[in-house]
Amino acid sequence: MEIWLNQSSSDDFVLLGIFSHSSTDLVLFSAVMMVFIVALCGNVLLIFLIFMDPQLHTPMYFFLSQLSFMDLMLVCTNVPKMAANFLSGRKSISFVGCGMQIGLFVCLVGSEGLLLGLMAYDRYVAISHPLHYPILMSQRVCLQIVGSSWVFGITDGLIQMVVVMTFPYCGLREVDHFFCEMLSLLKLACIDTSIFENVIFACCVFMLFLPFSIIVASYARILRTVLHMHSVQAVRKALATCSSHLTAVFLFYGAAMFIYLRPKRYRAPSHDKVVSVFYTVLTPMLNPLIYSLRNREVMGALRKGLDHCRIVNQH
């Protein structure tokens, strides 16, 4: 850390960004900022509703509040700096700031990926073992699931941040991205980083396929349970409770696999930047909408909150 703090301003990196100052890009920038504001408001509102409404004090909504908190941190890690650079015309980011962005981004993506995987196990227990659900998903188990997700992400983020920021960087130090994305930064290293990149690729495979295997195993068992149900209403309820989670899984894992599991020869900075916008800004906005608009309990809590505000204003 002391080495990092001793870096001079000449060691700053330049973020080339994703937008120019053309009229089309100004419209696109405005759209991204609108999505950012909706993501902020949506996730804060969802966390608030889950905290305030006793009916939402269940394992599923506890996990959902953590997911929203991760999404909230994710959009605040990269977007404000991107907006500040675009509006001010300055494109620099400090050496320490770049390291912090890498660490936070990897930590949050890793934590969210594992939490989404473990949330599938929660759905499996709720559908396949409803009578044992309070025991199998006790408060202790819920805290262990959330804690392991955070520990997994933080450990991975710290390791990758420290290793990447100890490499020597030279040349113009221009990062072809709108934030300090690790793979884009490694292209600027003065030494051969191919071994480290192969290790990172193996880590990404593990980080994506560990939770993904939990999801596949959980939903295979859920499907088997659903096929043995005799009530159409029970089948609909089971599918409804899984649809929101599956939508969030496809959004998150689709974008992550596109960026990190493609062979190197098929990677293009322009494609990576667009997909990065998708899962650093758009997905955090969509998650609270997916879980609220398609969920009676959350919509009920929202209506109660609005009714309470209306009564208070009348008095």
PDB file of all heavy atoms in Angstrom, residues 25-58:
ATOM      1  N   ASP A  25     -23.562  10.631 -29.013  1.00  0.00           N
ATOM      2  CA  ASP A  25     -22.995  10.152 -27.750  1.00  0.00           C
ATOM      3  C   ASP A  25     -23.519  10.932 -26.551  1.00  0.00           C
ATOM      4  O   ASP A  25     -23.605  10.397 -25.440  1.00  0.00           O
ATOM      5  CB  ASP A  25     -21.468  10.210 -27.790  1.00  0.00           C
ATOM      6  CG  ASP A  25     -20.878   9.007 -28.523  1.00  0.00           C
ATOM      7  OD1 ASP A  25     -21.662   8.159 -28.984  1.00  0.00           O
ATOM      8  OD2 ASP A  25     -19.647   8.921 -28.636  1.00  0.00           O
ATOM      9  N   LEU A  26     -23.871  12.206 -26.750  1.00  0.00           N
ATOM     10  CA  LEU A  26     -24.484  12.985 -25.668  1.00  0.00           C
ATOM     11  C   LEU A  26     -25.837  12.398 -25.271  1.00  0.00           C
ATOM     12  O   LEU A  26     -26.176  12.325 -24.091  1.00  0.00           O
ATOM     13  CB  LEU A  26     -24.656  14.451 -26.089  1.00  0.00           C
ATOM     14  CG  LEU A  26     -23.398  15.319 -26.075  1.00  0.00           C
ATOM     15  CD1 LEU A  26     -23.665  16.668 -26.725  1.00  0.00           C
ATOM     16  CD2 LEU A  26     -22.919  15.524 -24.630  1.00  0.00           C
ATOM     17  N   VAL A  27     -26.582  11.957 -26.278  1.00  0.00           N
ATOM     18  CA  VAL A  27     -27.878  11.310 -26.019  1.00  0.00           C
ATOM     19  C   VAL A  27     -27.660   9.990 -25.285  1.00  0.00           C
ATOM     20  O   VAL A  27     -28.366   9.683 -24.308  1.00  0.00           O
ATOM     21  CB  VAL A  27     -28.656  11.069 -27.343  1.00  0.00           C
ATOM     22  CG1 VAL A  27     -29.912  10.242 -27.085  1.00  0.00           C
ATOM     23  CG2 VAL A  27     -29.028  12.401 -27.987  1.00  0.00           C
ATOM     24  N   LEU A  28     -26.670   9.206 -25.747  1.00  0.00           N
ATOM     25  CA  LEU A  28     -26.371   7.916 -25.110  1.00  0.00           C
ATOM     26  C   LEU A  28     -25.888   8.115 -23.675  1.00  0.00           C
ATOM     27  O   LEU A  28     -26.274   7.358 -22.773  1.00  0.00           O
ATOM     28  CB  LEU A  28     -25.314   7.161 -25.920  1.00  0.00           C
ATOM     29  CG  LEU A  28     -25.760   6.629 -27.288  1.00  0.00           C
ATOM     30  CD1 LEU A  28     -24.579   6.049 -28.043  1.00  0.00           C
ATOM     31  CD2 LEU A  28     -26.845   5.553 -27.115  1.00  0.00           C
ATOM     32  N   PHE A  29     -25.053   9.142 -23.459  1.00  0.00           N
ATOM     33  CA  PHE A  29     -24.583   9.450 -22.103  1.00  0.00           C
ATOM     34  C   PHE A  29     -25.752   9.812 -21.194  1.00  0.00           C
ATOM     35  O   PHE A  29     -25.827   9.348 -20.046  1.00  0.00           O
ATOM     36  CB  PHE A  29     -23.567  10.597 -22.147  1.00  0.00           C
ATOM     37  CG  PHE A  29     -23.173  11.102 -20.784  1.00  0.00           C
ATOM     38  CD1 PHE A  29     -22.287  10.375 -19.993  1.00  0.00           C
ATOM     39  CD2 PHE A  29     -23.694  12.288 -20.292  1.00  0.00           C
ATOM     40  CE1 PHE A  29     -21.929  10.836 -18.729  1.00  0.00           C
ATOM     41  CE2 PHE A  29     -23.340  12.756 -19.033  1.00  0.00           C
ATOM     42  CZ  PHE A  29     -22.451  12.025 -18.250  1.00  0.00           C
ATOM     43  N   SER A  30     -26.678  10.615 -21.713  1.00  0.00           N
ATOM     44  CA  SER A  30     -27.867  11.003 -20.933  1.00  0.00           C
ATOM     45  C   SER A  30     -28.702   9.773 -20.588  1.00  0.00           C
ATOM     46  O   SER A  30     -29.215   9.657 -19.472  1.00  0.00           O
ATOM     47  CB  SER A  30     -28.723  12.011 -21.720  1.00  0.00           C
ATOM     48  OG  SER A  30     -27.971  13.158 -22.042  1.00  0.00           O
ATOM     49  N   ALA A  31     -28.811   8.850 -21.541  1.00  0.00           N
ATOM     50  CA  ALA A  31     -29.574   7.613 -21.311  1.00  0.00           C
ATOM     51  C   ALA A  31     -28.915   6.771 -20.214  1.00  0.00           C
ATOM     52  O   ALA A  31     -29.610   6.239 -19.332  1.00  0.00           O
ATOM     53  CB  ALA A  31     -29.679   6.806 -22.601  1.00  0.00           C
ATOM     54  N   VAL A  32     -27.572   6.648 -20.266  1.00  0.00           N
ATOM     55  CA  VAL A  32     -26.849   5.880 -19.245  1.00  0.00           C
ATOM     56  C   VAL A  32     -27.035   6.518 -17.873  1.00  0.00           C
ATOM     57  O   VAL A  32     -27.234   5.816 -16.872  1.00  0.00           O
ATOM     58  CB  VAL A  32     -25.345   5.773 -19.598  1.00  0.00           C
ATOM     59  CG1 VAL A  32     -24.540   5.233 -18.418  1.00  0.00           C
ATOM     60  CG2 VAL A  32     -25.148   4.873 -20.811  1.00  0.00           C
ATOM     61  N   MET A  33     -27.012   7.850 -17.807  1.00  0.00           N
ATOM     62  CA  MET A  33     -27.187   8.533 -16.528  1.00  0.00           C
ATOM     63  C   MET A  33     -28.608   8.350 -15.991  1.00  0.00           C
ATOM     64  O   MET A  33     -28.811   8.223 -14.776  1.00  0.00           O
ATOM     65  CB  MET A  33     -26.859  10.026 -16.665  1.00  0.00           C
ATOM     66  CG  MET A  33     -25.393  10.316 -16.938  1.00  0.00           C
ATOM     67  SD  MET A  33     -24.244   9.423 -15.844  1.00  0.00           S
ATOM     68  CE  MET A  33     -24.693  10.090 -14.241  1.00  0.00           C
ATOM     69  N   MET A  34     -29.588   8.308 -16.881  1.00  0.00           N
ATOM     70  CA  MET A  34     -30.968   8.045 -16.451  1.00  0.00           C
ATOM     71  C   MET A  34     -31.082   6.633 -15.875  1.00  0.00           C
ATOM     72  O   MET A  34     -31.718   6.419 -14.839  1.00  0.00           O
ATOM     73  CB  MET A  34     -31.931   8.211 -17.632  1.00  0.00           C
ATOM     74  CG  MET A  34     -32.221   9.648 -18.015  1.00  0.00           C
ATOM     75  SD  MET A  34     -33.039  10.565 -16.691  1.00  0.00           S
ATOM     76  CE  MET A  34     -34.604   9.683 -16.593  1.00  0.00           C
ATOM     77  N   VAL A  35     -30.460   5.676 -16.564  1.00  0.00           N
ATOM     78  CA  VAL A  35     -30.461   4.286 -16.084  1.00  0.00           C
ATOM     79  C   VAL A  35     -29.760   4.215 -14.724  1.00  0.00           C
ATOM     80  O   VAL A  35     -30.211   3.505 -13.810  1.00  0.00           O
ATOM     81  CB  VAL A  35     -29.771   3.350 -17.102  1.00  0.00           C
ATOM     82  CG1 VAL A  35     -29.565   1.961 -16.514  1.00  0.00           C
ATOM     83  CG2 VAL A  35     -30.595   3.259 -18.376  1.00  0.00           C
ATOM     84  N   PHE A  36     -28.659   4.947 -14.570  1.00  0.00           N
ATOM     85  CA  PHE A  36     -27.910   4.992 -13.312  1.00  0.00           C
ATOM     86  C   PHE A  36     -28.784   5.509 -12.167  1.00  0.00           C
ATOM     87  O   PHE A  36     -28.818   4.919 -11.072  1.00  0.00           O
ATOM     88  CB  PHE A  36     -26.678   5.888 -13.486  1.00  0.00           C
ATOM     89  CG  PHE A  36     -25.960   6.224 -12.212  1.00  0.00           C
ATOM     90  CD1 PHE A  36     -25.257   5.251 -11.514  1.00  0.00           C
ATOM     91  CD2 PHE A  36     -25.972   7.518 -11.722  1.00  0.00           C
ATOM     92  CE1 PHE A  36     -24.586   5.554 -10.331  1.00  0.00           C
ATOM     93  CE2 PHE A  36     -25.314   7.835 -10.538  1.00  0.00           C
ATOM     94  CZ  PHE A  36     -24.621   6.857  -9.848  1.00  0.00           C
ATOM     95  N   ILE A  37     -29.522   6.583 -12.428  1.00  0.00           N
ATOM     96  CA  ILE A  37     -30.399   7.173 -11.392  1.00  0.00           C
ATOM     97  C   ILE A  37     -31.520   6.202 -11.022  1.00  0.00           C
ATOM     98  O   ILE A  37     -31.840   6.023  -9.842  1.00  0.00           O
ATOM     99  CB  ILE A  37     -30.978   8.520 -11.877  1.00  0.00           C
ATOM    100  CG1 ILE A  37     -29.858   9.562 -11.981  1.00  0.00           C
ATOM    101  CG2 ILE A  37     -32.080   9.017 -10.944  1.00  0.00           C
ATOM    102  CD1 ILE A  37     -30.232  10.815 -12.736  1.00  0.00           C
ATOM    103  N   VAL A  38     -32.114   5.550 -12.043  1.00  0.00           N
ATOM    104  CA  VAL A  38     -33.176   4.558 -11.778  1.00  0.00           C
ATOM    105  C   VAL A  38     -32.610   3.384 -10.979  1.00  0.00           C
ATOM    106  O   VAL A  38     -33.264   2.871 -10.055  1.00  0.00           O
ATOM    107  CB  VAL A  38     -33.803   4.063 -13.104  1.00  0.00           C
ATOM    108  CG1 VAL A  38     -34.787   2.915 -12.845  1.00  0.00           C
ATOM    109  CG2 VAL A  38     -34.525   5.203 -13.819  1.00  0.00           C
ATOM    110  N   ALA A  39     -31.385   2.946 -11.313  1.00  0.00           N
ATOM    111  CA  ALA A  39     -30.741   1.849 -10.579  1.00  0.00           C
ATOM    112  C   ALA A  39     -30.519   2.226  -9.118  1.00  0.00           C
ATOM    113  O   ALA A  39     -30.778   1.422  -8.212  1.00  0.00           O
ATOM    114  CB  ALA A  39     -29.409   1.488 -11.242  1.00  0.00           C
ATOM    115  N   LEU A  40     -30.047   3.454  -8.890  1.00  0.00           N
ATOM    116  CA  LEU A  40     -29.847   3.936  -7.522  1.00  0.00           C
ATOM    117  C   LEU A  40     -31.160   3.940  -6.744  1.00  0.00           C
ATOM    118  O   LEU A  40     -31.261   3.367  -5.652  1.00  0.00           O
ATOM    119  CB  LEU A  40     -29.270   5.357  -7.536  1.00  0.00           C
ATOM    120  CG  LEU A  40     -27.766   5.548  -7.704  1.00  0.00           C
ATOM    121  CD1 LEU A  40     -27.425   7.024  -7.659  1.00  0.00           C
ATOM    122  CD2 LEU A  40     -26.998   4.816  -6.614  1.00  0.00           C
ATOM    123  N   CYS A  41     -32.172   4.595  -7.319  1.00  0.00           N
ATOM    124  CA  CYS A  41     -33.462   4.739  -6.640  1.00  0.00           C
ATOM    125  C   CYS A  41     -34.133   3.379  -6.433  1.00  0.00           C
ATOM    126  O   CYS A  41     -34.675   3.109  -5.348  1.00  0.00           O
ATOM    127  CB  CYS A  41     -34.388   5.659  -7.440  1.00  0.00           C
ATOM    128  SG  CYS A  41     -33.779   7.353  -7.575  1.00  0.00           S
ATOM    129  N   GLY A  42     -34.096   2.532  -7.456  1.00  0.00           N
ATOM    130  CA  GLY A  42     -34.746   1.227  -7.376  1.00  0.00           C
ATOM    131  C   GLY A  42     -34.155   0.342  -6.303  1.00  0.00           C
ATOM    132  O   GLY A  42     -34.884  -0.279  -5.517  1.00  0.00           O
ATOM    133  N   ASN A  43     -32.824   0.294  -6.235  1.00  0.00           N
ATOM    134  CA  ASN A  43     -32.178  -0.557  -5.236  1.00  0.00           C
ATOM    135  C   ASN A  43     -32.317  -0.007  -3.823  1.00  0.00           C
ATOM    136  O   ASN A  43     -32.526  -0.778  -2.879  1.00  0.00           O
ATOM    137  CB  ASN A  43     -30.701  -0.759  -5.595  1.00  0.00           C
ATOM    138  CG  ASN A  43     -30.512  -1.741  -6.739  1.00  0.00           C
ATOM    139  OD1 ASN A  43     -30.766  -2.927  -6.600  1.00  0.00           O
ATOM    140  ND2 ASN A  43     -30.085  -1.241  -7.891  1.00  0.00           N
ATOM    141  N   VAL A  44     -32.210   1.307  -3.670  1.00  0.00           N
ATOM    142  CA  VAL A  44     -32.408   1.917  -2.344  1.00  0.00           C
ATOM    143  C   VAL A  44     -33.838   1.667  -1.865  1.00  0.00           C
ATOM    144  O   VAL A  44     -34.058   1.308  -0.697  1.00  0.00           O
ATOM    145  CB  VAL A  44     -32.100   3.434  -2.383  1.00  0.00           C
ATOM    146  CG1 VAL A  44     -32.587   4.115  -1.104  1.00  0.00           C
ATOM    147  CG2 VAL A  44     -30.613   3.675  -2.564  1.00  0.00           C
ATOM    148  N   LEU A  45     -34.815   1.846  -2.758  1.00  0.00           N
ATOM    149  CA  LEU A  45     -36.220   1.621  -2.407  1.00  0.00           C
ATOM    150  C   LEU A  45     -36.475   0.172  -2.007  1.00  0.00           C
ATOM    151  O   LEU A  45     -37.165  -0.099  -1.018  1.00  0.00           O
ATOM    152  CB  LEU A  45     -37.125   2.003  -3.583  1.00  0.00           C
ATOM    153  CG  LEU A  45     -38.641   1.802  -3.379  1.00  0.00           C
ATOM    154  CD1 LEU A  45     -39.147   2.650  -2.220  1.00  0.00           C
ATOM    155  CD2 LEU A  45     -39.404   2.133  -4.661  1.00  0.00           C
ATOM    156  N   LEU A  46     -35.900  -0.767  -2.765  1.00  0.00           N
ATOM    157  CA  LEU A  46     -36.108  -2.192  -2.466  1.00  0.00           C
ATOM    158  C   LEU A  46     -35.499  -2.561  -1.111  1.00  0.00           C
ATOM    159  O   LEU A  46     -36.126  -3.268  -0.311  1.00  0.00           O
ATOM    160  CB  LEU A  46     -35.502  -3.052  -3.572  1.00  0.00           C
ATOM    161  CG  LEU A  46     -35.883  -4.534  -3.581  1.00  0.00           C
ATOM    162  CD1 LEU A  46     -37.390  -4.719  -3.604  1.00  0.00           C
ATOM    163  CD2 LEU A  46     -35.258  -5.233  -4.779  1.00  0.00           C
ATOM    164  N   ILE A  47     -34.301  -2.075  -0.820  1.00  0.00           N
ATOM    165  CA  ILE A  47     -33.663  -2.319   0.477  1.00  0.00           C
ATOM    166  C   ILE A  47     -34.512  -1.744   1.604  1.00  0.00           C
ATOM    167  O   ILE A  47     -34.729  -2.388   2.644  1.00  0.00           O
ATOM    168  CB  ILE A  47     -32.236  -1.721   0.520  1.00  0.00           C
ATOM    169  CG1 ILE A  47     -31.313  -2.470  -0.451  1.00  0.00           C
ATOM    170  CG2 ILE A  47     -31.656  -1.769   1.924  1.00  0.00           C
ATOM    171  CD1 ILE A  47     -29.982  -1.791  -0.688  1.00  0.00           C
ATOM    172  N   PHE A  48     -35.035  -0.530   1.386  1.00  0.00           N
ATOM    173  CA  PHE A  48     -35.862   0.149   2.394  1.00  0.00           C
ATOM    174  C   PHE A  48     -37.152  -0.631   2.662  1.00  0.00           C
ATOM    175  O   PHE A  48     -37.536  -0.842   3.819  1.00  0.00           O
ATOM    176  CB  PHE A  48     -36.191   1.571   1.918  1.00  0.00           C
ATOM    177  CG  PHE A  48     -37.098   2.325   2.856  1.00  0.00           C
ATOM    178  CD1 PHE A  48     -36.599   2.856   4.035  1.00  0.00           C
ATOM    179  CD2 PHE A  48     -38.441   2.506   2.550  1.00  0.00           C
ATOM    180  CE1 PHE A  48     -37.430   3.547   4.913  1.00  0.00           C
ATOM    181  CE2 PHE A  48     -39.284   3.196   3.411  1.00  0.00           C
ATOM    182  CZ  PHE A  48     -38.779   3.717   4.599  1.00  0.00           C
ATOM    183  N   LEU A  49     -37.821  -1.087   1.601  1.00  0.00           N
ATOM    184  CA  LEU A  49     -39.071  -1.841   1.750  1.00  0.00           C
ATOM    185  C   LEU A  49     -38.841  -3.148   2.502  1.00  0.00           C
ATOM    186  O   LEU A  49     -39.627  -3.519   3.377  1.00  0.00           O
ATOM    187  CB  LEU A  49     -39.684  -2.133   0.376  1.00  0.00           C
ATOM    188  CG  LEU A  49     -40.296  -0.962  -0.388  1.00  0.00           C
ATOM    189  CD1 LEU A  49     -40.744  -1.408  -1.779  1.00  0.00           C
ATOM    190  CD2 LEU A  49     -41.475  -0.365   0.365  1.00  0.00           C
ATOM    191  N   ILE A  50     -37.757  -3.854   2.150  1.00  0.00           N
ATOM    192  CA  ILE A  50     -37.450  -5.128   2.807  1.00  0.00           C
ATOM    193  C   ILE A  50     -37.124  -4.914   4.278  1.00  0.00           C
ATOM    194  O   ILE A  50     -37.522  -5.698   5.148  1.00  0.00           O
ATOM    195  CB  ILE A  50     -36.288  -5.847   2.081  1.00  0.00           C
ATOM    196  CG1 ILE A  50     -36.741  -6.304   0.689  1.00  0.00           C
ATOM    197  CG2 ILE A  50     -35.783  -7.041   2.885  1.00  0.00           C
ATOM    198  CD1 ILE A  50     -35.622  -6.774  -0.208  1.00  0.00           C
ATOM    199  N   PHE A  51     -36.439  -3.812   4.576  1.00  0.00           N
ATOM    200  CA  PHE A  51     -36.082  -3.508   5.969  1.00  0.00           C
ATOM    201  C   PHE A  51     -37.304  -3.110   6.791  1.00  0.00           C
ATOM    202  O   PHE A  51     -37.434  -3.506   7.956  1.00  0.00           O
ATOM    203  CB  PHE A  51     -35.045  -2.373   5.986  1.00  0.00           C
ATOM    204  CG  PHE A  51     -34.642  -1.952   7.374  1.00  0.00           C
ATOM    205  CD1 PHE A  51     -33.775  -2.749   8.131  1.00  0.00           C
ATOM    206  CD2 PHE A  51     -35.117  -0.774   7.934  1.00  0.00           C
ATOM    207  CE1 PHE A  51     -33.400  -2.367   9.412  1.00  0.00           C
ATOM    208  CE2 PHE A  51     -34.756  -0.380   9.216  1.00  0.00           C
ATOM    209  CZ  PHE A  51     -33.891  -1.182   9.958  1.00  0.00           C
ATOM    210  N   MET A  52     -38.234  -2.361   6.182  1.00  0.00           N
ATOM    211  CA  MET A  52     -39.362  -1.792   6.923  1.00  0.00           C
ATOM    212  C   MET A  52     -40.551  -2.733   7.058  1.00  0.00           C
ATOM    213  O   MET A  52     -41.286  -2.664   8.044  1.00  0.00           O
ATOM    214  CB  MET A  52     -39.824  -0.485   6.257  1.00  0.00           C
ATOM    215  CG  MET A  52     -38.816   0.639   6.326  1.00  0.00           C
ATOM    216  SD  MET A  52     -38.400   1.133   8.022  1.00  0.00           S
ATOM    217  CE  MET A  52     -39.970   1.842   8.567  1.00  0.00           C
ATOM    218  N   ASP A  53     -40.789  -3.599   6.080  1.00  0.00           N
ATOM    219  CA  ASP A  53     -41.990  -4.435   6.101  1.00  0.00           C
ATOM    220  C   ASP A  53     -41.694  -5.785   6.756  1.00  0.00           C
ATOM    221  O   ASP A  53     -40.913  -6.571   6.224  1.00  0.00           O
ATOM    222  CB  ASP A  53     -42.498  -4.651   4.674  1.00  0.00           C
ATOM    223  CG  ASP A  53     -43.924  -5.190   4.644  1.00  0.00           C
ATOM    224  OD1 ASP A  53     -44.239  -6.083   5.461  1.00  0.00           O
ATOM    225  OD2 ASP A  53     -44.722  -4.720   3.817  1.00  0.00           O
ATOM    226  N   PRO A  54     -42.340  -6.098   7.888  1.00  0.00           N
ATOM    227  CA  PRO A  54     -42.103  -7.385   8.583  1.00  0.00           C
ATOM    228  C   PRO A  54     -42.429  -8.603   7.719  1.00  0.00           C
ATOM    229  O   PRO A  54     -41.816  -9.661   7.890  1.00  0.00           O
ATOM    230  CB  PRO A  54     -43.052  -7.316   9.792  1.00  0.00           C
ATOM    231  CG  PRO A  54     -43.309  -5.857  10.003  1.00  0.00           C
ATOM    232  CD  PRO A  54     -43.283  -5.244   8.635  1.00  0.00           C
ATOM    233  N   GLN A  55     -43.391  -8.461   6.775  1.00  0.00           N
ATOM    234  CA  GLN A  55     -43.748  -9.590   5.920  1.00  0.00           C
ATOM    235  C   GLN A  55     -42.624  -9.967   4.954  1.00  0.00           C
ATOM    236  O   GLN A  55     -42.634 -11.074   4.393  1.00  0.00           O
ATOM    237  CB  GLN A  55     -45.020  -9.261   5.122  1.00  0.00           C
ATOM    238  CG  GLN A  55     -46.289  -9.242   5.967  1.00  0.00           C
ATOM    239  CD  GLN A  55     -47.535  -9.122   5.129  1.00  0.00           C
ATOM    240  OE1 GLN A  55     -47.502  -8.596   4.008  1.00  0.00           O
ATOM    241  NE2 GLN A  55     -48.659  -9.605   5.660  1.00  0.00           N
ATOM    242  N   LEU A  56     -41.694  -9.063   4.765  1.00  0.00           N
ATOM    243  CA  LEU A  56     -40.565  -9.332   3.866  1.00  0.00           C
ATOM    244  C   LEU A  56     -39.319  -9.793   4.623  1.00  0.00           C
ATOM    245  O   LEU A  56     -38.240  -9.896   4.032  1.00  0.00           O
ATOM    246  CB  LEU A  56     -40.238  -8.083   3.029  1.00  0.00           C
ATOM    247  CG  LEU A  56     -41.372  -7.543   2.148  1.00  0.00           C
ATOM    248  CD1 LEU A  56     -40.887  -6.336   1.346  1.00  0.00           C
ATOM    249  CD2 LEU A  56     -41.907  -8.616   1.209  1.00  0.00           C
ATOM    250  N   HIS A  57     -39.472 -10.048   5.915  1.00  0.00           N
ATOM    251  CA  HIS A  57     -38.341 -10.528   6.712  1.00  0.00           C
ATOM    252  C   HIS A  57     -38.237 -12.048   6.607  1.00  0.00           C
ATOM    253  O   HIS A  57     -38.415 -12.786   7.570  1.00  0.00           O
ATOM    254  CB  HIS A  57     -38.489 -10.081   8.167  1.00  0.00           C
ATOM    255  CG  HIS A  57     -38.375  -8.611   8.357  1.00  0.00           C
ATOM    256  ND1 HIS A  57     -38.573  -7.978   9.565  1.00  0.00           N
ATOM    257  CD2 HIS A  57     -38.084  -7.616   7.468  1.00  0.00           C
ATOM    258  CE1 HIS A  57     -38.407  -6.669   9.420  1.00  0.00           C
ATOM    259  NE2 HIS A  57     -38.111  -6.438   8.149  1.00  0.00           N
ATOM    260  N   THR A  58     -37.956 -12.506   5.388  1.00  0.00           N
ATOM    261  CA  THR A  58     -37.792 -13.936   5.097  1.00  0.00           C
ATOM    262  C   THR A  58     -36.436 -14.134   4.427  1.00  0.00           C
ATOM    263  O   THR A  58     -35.835 -13.164   3.933  1.00  0.00           O
ATOM    264  CB  THR A  58     -38.906 -14.436   4.160  1.00  0.00           C
ATOM    265  OG1 THR A  58     -38.801 -13.746   2.901  1.00  0.00           O
ATOM    266  CG2 THR A  58     -40.296 -14.189   4.757  1.00  0.00           C
TER     267      THR A  58
END
